[in-house]
């Protein structure tokens, strides 16, 4: 019997499973070269490792030319629900495929991002998923961080040249949302979104304007309010009331994130107005609104699959677009 203080070795796992050391290493550490391990033997190795409480040596696996089975994720520390949802989906995919996530955060600070990226590389991650790169005025600094040839895939196409990215597209979903709103009796359709200094917000604004045009509505900037990124949520929504909702009286408003929608809904009710809101990031908070508020579906699972497959090396390259989905019957008729 093993001592309580003794750590099980790979050889001990192999003996208990009745396989060679290379086969056990292939299953547990990703080492073992081109050796193939059948499903029955793989199950015996996994069970033996569980019984012996074997802990793979990640550093040893990497030095031996194996796969660390670690995926690094760089997130924006001020990100909204999308970051959390992507992290949930990525964690599930990693668990299903025998990988683990290492996460780190930064915001508007290339020095911190560079330090985080270097840390992930020292851990020998198989690949990195970067969800934090849209920083105006810092594009060249961010680009320089990832010029070492490491396997990196970006969430959304960055402002600089990148080999791998997954971008989202909402024009078709916006078109269906606006068409449904028109069919439900709404005529004064607008949107509230973030500052256009961010490329992601410029893209959202352009997609919304295109969808309006496709639906026969001349885009009117008075109905498209962009709030300052420096302002807090309450201040942003107060400005949206003063500059858009009170003077223009929209009856249907797209608001991408739930925190802003909550504030706006309360202010709209206090003003005695009726404006139907529609969300964009599928935050479950939207379903708790009274009356219930619909939201677009960014297709997080598909986004996460593409990011994971690229970061893990299962997909050699990726420049894919994922279409956001509009849910039918998510807009109630105007009263």
């Amino acid at each position: 019997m093993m001592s309580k203080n003794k750590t099980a070795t790979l050889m001990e796992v192999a003996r208990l499973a009745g396989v060679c050391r290379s086969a056990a290493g292939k299953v547990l550490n990703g080492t073992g070269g081109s050796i193939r391990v059948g499903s029955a033997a793989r199950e015996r190795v996994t069970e033996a490792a569980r019984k012996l409480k074997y802990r793979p040596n990640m550093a040893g696996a990497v030095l031996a030319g194996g796969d660390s089975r670690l995926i690094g994720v760089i997130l924006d520390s001020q990100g909204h629900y999308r970051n959390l949802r992507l992290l949930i989906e990525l964690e599930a995919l990693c668990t299903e495929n025998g990988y683990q996530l290492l996460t780190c955060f930064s915001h508007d600070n290339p020095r911190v991002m560079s330090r985080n990226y270097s840390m992930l590389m020292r851990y020998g991650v198989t690949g990195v998923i970067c969800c934090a790169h849209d920083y105006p005025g810092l594009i060249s600094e961010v680009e320089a961080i990832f010029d070492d040839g490491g396997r990196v895939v970006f969430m959304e196409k960055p402002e600089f040249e990148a080999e791998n990215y997954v971008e989202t597209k909402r024009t078709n979903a916006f078109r269906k949302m606006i068409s449904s709103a028109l069919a439900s009796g709404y005529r004064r359709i607008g949107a509230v979104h973030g500052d256009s200094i961010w490329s992601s917000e410029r893209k959202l604004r352009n997609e919304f304007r295109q969808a309006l045009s496709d639906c026969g509505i001349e885009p009117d900037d008075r109905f498209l309010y962009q709030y300052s990124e420096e302002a807090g949520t309450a201040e942003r929504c107060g400005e949206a009331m003063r500059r858009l909702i009170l003077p223009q009286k929209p009856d249907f408003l797209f608001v991408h994130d739930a925190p802003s929608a909550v504030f706006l809904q309360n202010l709209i009710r206090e003003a005695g107005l009726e404006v139907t809101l529609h969300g964009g990031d599928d935050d479950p908070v939207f379903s708790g609104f009274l009356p219930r508020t619909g939201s677009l579906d960014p297709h997080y699972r598909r986004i996460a699959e593409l990011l994971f497959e690229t970061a893990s090396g299962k997909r050699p390259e990726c420049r894919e677009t994922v279409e956001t989905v509009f849910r039918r019957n998510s807009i109630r008729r105007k009263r």
Side-chain angles (χ1 to χ4, degrees), residues 6 41 60-61 68 77 127 132 134 142 179 183 220 232 324-325:
K6 183 182 177 184
S68 68
S77 57
D134 185 11
V142 174
S179 295
D220 185 341
T324 296
V325 177

Side-chain angles (χ1 to χ4, degrees), residues 9-25:
T9 66
L10 185 62
M11 193 66 231
E12 288 169 332
V13 173
R15 287 198 195 99
L16 183 59
V19 300
C20 66
R21 187 178 186 280
S22 296

